[in-house]
Amino acid sequence: MTTKIIIRPAKLGVEIRGINLLAPLGKEMITKIKSDLYQHRLLIFKNQGVISGEDHVKISQWFGELESTFYKHPKSPHPDVFRVSNDEYEGCRNVGRTGWHIDGSFMEKPFNFALYHMVSVPKIGCTAFVGFKELLMSISSEKRASWDRLWMVGNGHDIIHPLIYTHPETKEHVMCFHLGMIRCFIWDYGTQNQRMTDYNETRQIFQDIHDEIVKDNEKLVYEHHWERGDFIISDNRAVAHEATPETQYPVSMVGLRVLHRTTVAGTTKPFK
């Protein structure tokens, strides 16, 4: 009996039913998943049950070598699994609430992919995503020209990346930032006109990017309302994300939230 695979468009990415990620899928299916990931940017696999830390890592390794986060928690099921929670005894708290971001923007080669699995699902608390393609298409030509002149400087790191650059695989224009872990921006980097932004100008640019993401009643934003068994694979270079405020509500109010995440090592440095 052949399993019927159902793929439905989400606001961003696609929702997939009928594939068991823990079953032997074969090279052809894994190649198809990789191709679909570049096309859709977000693959939302439903009904996966509870995936162990070891299996989470095995699935992640389809996409390359893992680069474990610098955050560690004693209850993490594997050294390469980042465990977050609304209970500090269960996982790292206050994660993802420092602003819209991609994972690893502070690294020379930002992570290629991120893979998420909600082990314990709270009553409320979403992970919000926005596609860079839609974001860049929605801004004015004047603002696009302005953003094209900006480079981000990592907070506490000697890392400088263009704010807008070309995705090495899809050739789409994407962005590199963390609206909470950027020390400053540089205008016209590498030219005789280059200039660093001061604190106030940096905060103004943060606010400008944030406002463009959430404008028009957040029409560009996809908020994923987690259900038991959800497993999400994202093209980290093509989408930004942020945890919604409800993810920090106490266990007594919304129940226990435990999210596992892995990140696949970056292979390219952003370049114009």
Side-chain angles (χ1 to χ4, degrees):
M1 180 178 176
T2 303
T3 300
K4 185 177 181 181
I5 299 173
I6 301 173
I7 301 179
R8 293 193 179 96
K11 186 174 182 180
L12 171 66
V14 291
E15 184 180 286
I16 303 170
R17 298 176 186 268
I19 293 180
N20 180 1
L21 293 173
L22 299 182
L25 295 182
K27 291 183 179 179
E28 186 176 337
M29 177 59 76
I30 292 174
T31 299
K32 179 68 166 59
I33 289 173
K34 292 177 181 177
S35 174
D36 287 347
L37 180 54
Y38 281 129
Q39 178 183 354
H40 299 293
R41 297 166 289 169
L42 211 63
L43 303 182
I44 306 160
F45 291 90
K46 306 294 289 186
N47 304 319
Q48 299 300 307
V50 175
I51 294 178
S52 70
E54 183 177 351
D55 285 329
H56 193 150
V57 167
K58 287 180 180 178
I59 295 168
S60 305
Q61 288 172 335
W62 297 348
F63 302 92
E65 295 183 10
L66 269 61
E67 187 154 0
S68 58
T69 176
F70 53 88
Y71 291 118
K72 303 293 181 183
H73 192 276
K75 287 201 173 182
S76 173
H78 190 282
D80 287 323
V81 172
F82 180 32
R83 182 177 170 101
V84 305
S85 180
N86 57 346
D87 180 341
E88 64 181 338
Y89 296 103
E90 292 292 334
C92 298
R93 289 209 60 198
N94 301 314
V95 174
R97 286 294 303 149
T98 50
W100 288 93
H101 62 282
I102 68 165
D103 289 327
S105 63
F106 55 87
M107 303 176 70
E108 183 178 2
K109 298 176 181 179
F111 300 127
N112 283 1
F113 307 103
L115 297 90
Y116 309 88
H117 177 51
M118 191 69 76
V119 178
S120 181
V121 183
K123 296 176 183 176
I124 55 174
C126 300
T127 303
F129 298 90
V130 64
F132 289 135
K133 179 180 179 180
E134 292 80 4
L135 174 61
L136 291 172
M137 288 177 60
S138 74
I139 64 177
S140 68
S141 57
E142 292 80 12
K143 183 160 291 185
R144 173 60 187 268
S146 178
W147 285 9
D148 265 323
R149 295 173 50 213
L150 287 168
W151 294 64
M152 57 143 281
V153 180
N155 187 14
H157 300 268
D158 295 326
I159 295 296
I160 300 174
H161 293 315
L163 179 62
I164 299 175
Y165 71 103
T166 302
H167 191 297
E169 302 296 335
T170 66
K171 309 307 178 186
E172 296 279 359
H173 288 134
V174 293
M175 302 180 71
C176 183
F177 62 75
H178 190 308
L179 303 185
M181 291 182 67
I182 293 177
R183 186 172 61 182
C184 66
F185 293 91
I186 301 176
W187 291 100
D188 304 316
Y189 178 67
T191 75
Q192 62 181 4
N193 297 320
Q194 81 172 40
R195 174 180 64 83
M196 279 191 173
T197 58
D198 61 19
Y199 176 82
N200 289 333
E201 189 177 13
T202 300
R203 301 303 302 180
Q204 184 178 354
I205 294 170
F206 281 177
Q207 191 64 51
D208 187 36
I209 295 172
H210 173 86
D211 290 347
E212 289 291 348
I213 290 173
V214 302
K215 67 188 175 187
D216 298 331
N217 198 29
E218 300 191 351
K219 73 175 184 179
L220 298 177
V221 175
Y222 166 62
E223 287 193 348
H224 183 71
H225 297 265
W226 289 92
E227 295 180 334
R228 180 178 293 274
D230 285 356
F231 192 93
I232 293 180
I233 308 174
S234 78
D235 181 349
N236 180 59
R237 294 170 293 188
V239 297
H241 64 279
E242 181 183 48
T244 63
E246 297 83 8
T247 60
Q248 308 307 311
Y249 288 1
V251 175
S252 59
M253 184 181 299
V254 299
L256 179 64
R257 178 180 188 264
V258 177
L259 175 70
H260 286 172
R261 187 206 70 186
T262 56
T263 43
V264 177
T267 51
T268 56
K269 178 176 169 57
F271 63 93
K272 284 286 192 184

